[in-house]
Amino acid sequence: MVDGGTAGTPGRSPRSDEPARPGSGQRALVVEDEPELARLVGSYLERDGFEVTVVHDGLEAVARSREVDPDVVVLDLGLPGLDGVEVCRRLRTFSDAYVVMLTARSEEVDTLIGLSVGADDYLTKPFSPRELMARIQAMLRRPRPLGHAAGGLDTDGGTSLLFGDLAIDLDGREVWLEDRAVPLTRTEFDVLATLARRPGMAFSRRQLIDAVWGPTWVGDEHLVDVHVGHLRHKLGDAAAEGRYVRTVRGIGYRMGRGE
Ligand code: CA
């Protein structure tokens, strides 16, 4: 089956002087109808400090998501009840959880990216649980606002960025458009914040992937376009071009001032 099993650090008990594990205090939901794979993924997440809930079908996944309010969802595409695409769509109506979708064939990923289902990342089976954990950890370690890196010197709202009528609160991870809160997923926020922190810079898709998904991410870079499309929609921009997220032809994207 999948690589890994209990290799690594079996039986090691957590010690109080260890640094906080990436998932400490966070909740993960595993949605997978193969019991052995669900158990394995769950055990890796628990080892990383997550509070794990495992469910085996799509309808249950949506119901439990409302109760658990997970930070991370590992979601199989092929499920009894509702399939992963529909679960993700429903999840997105009330959750900004980080969603990694598991697919049986790599060709499915292109289709899923085209469908704009709203997953943050994709992994094709069979995969290594370590690869899955590395992707989740990369997401959870995404660069935090500069104010934190500088030792908290940046106070008095100094981590808010303004672009015309658009305000981005980097610390609070909130976005306001004309005094109206704009609900973004984690990935949408991180794409926007990456562009906004360097407003003069045109980012290639690969540079955005390095910043948001992590430099080890491998896959179809048009995943970026899908998240930009969602962002533009939520910011009230035209699908093809945005006032805030602007296309730089032949390169990628840069921040606009809302004009
Ligand atoms: Ca399945």
Side-chain angles (χ1 to χ4, degrees):
M1 210 182 61
V2 285
D3 159 68
T6 55
T9 53
R12 194 183 62 157
S13 58
R15 292 184 2 221
S16 58
D17 58 348
E18 284 183 39
R21 291 173 296 173
S24 288
Q26 307 208 58
R27 292 176 297 278
L29 179 70
V30 178
V31 188
E32 170 59 69
D33 57 322
E34 296 169 46
E36 186 61 17
L37 182 57
R39 189 198 57 74
L40 182 66
V41 168
S43 72
Y44 269 78
L45 285 160
E46 273 175 357
R47 194 185 297 177
D48 261 5
F50 287 90
E51 215 175 282
V52 178
T53 303
V54 176
V55 298
H56 303 288
D57 78 71
L59 278 170
E60 201 186 350
V62 177
R64 291 306 300 274
S65 293
R66 290 185 189 278
E67 299 164 20
V68 171
D69 188 21
D71 300 286
V72 173
V73 179
V74 179
L75 177 60
D76 187 31
L77 174 64
L79 290 167
L82 294 177
D83 71 9
V85 168
E86 190 54 32
V87 171
C88 196
R89 287 215 170 107
R90 295 195 189 183
L91 194 65
R92 281 295 177 235
T93 64
F94 62 88
S95 169
D96 73 346
Y98 181 57
V99 177
V100 186
M101 196 170 278
L102 307 178
T103 71
R105 288 175 299 129
S106 56
E107 309 87 78
E108 286 170 342
V109 174
D110 296 340
T111 311
L112 290 168
I113 288 175
L115 284 174
S116 293
V117 296
D120 298 279
D121 207 345
Y122 298 89
L123 262 187
T124 303
K125 295 177 182 178
F127 60 89
S128 144
R130 287 193 193 83
E131 168 69 9
L132 172 65
M133 295 314 301
R135 291 195 182 200
I136 291 171
Q137 286 160 7
M139 182 273 166
L140 294 173
R141 289 187 184 124
R142 280 175 191 175
R144 290 298 108 191
L146 297 172
H148 288 315
L153 295 174
D154 200 352
T155 53
D156 299 322
T159 56
S160 283
L161 301 173
L162 285 174
F163 298 87
D165 289 331
L166 180 71
I168 304 169
D169 174 358
L170 295 174
D171 272 344
R173 296 180 65 83
E174 287 181 338
V175 171
W176 300 80
L177 184 62
E178 293 165 359
D179 298 327
R180 190 170 47 81
V182 183
L184 299 182
T185 67
R186 288 162 196 240
T187 295
E188 287 158 7
F189 181 87
D190 286 330
V191 168
L192 183 65
T194 301
L195 294 169
R197 284 192 190 104
R198 301 281 301 277
M201 175 167 164
F203 283 81
S204 68
R205 290 177 181 81
R206 185 67 236 183
Q207 284 171 316
L208 285 168
I209 282 171
D210 286 350
V212 174
W213 285 265
T216 59
W217 190 90
V218 176
D220 184 342
E221 294 181 1
H222 288 93
L223 183 59
V224 172
D225 303 341
V226 173
H227 290 285
V228 166
H230 292 167
L231 257 176
R232 285 177 171 163
H233 178 72
K234 290 182 181 179
L235 298 177
D237 274 346
E241 178 59 306
R243 293 168 297 163
Y244 300 107
V245 181
R246 307 201 72 102
T247 302
V248 182
R249 285 212 308 186
I251 309 238
Y253 299 103
R254 73 168 171 81
M255 200 65 202
R257 285 177 295 179
E259 292 151 357

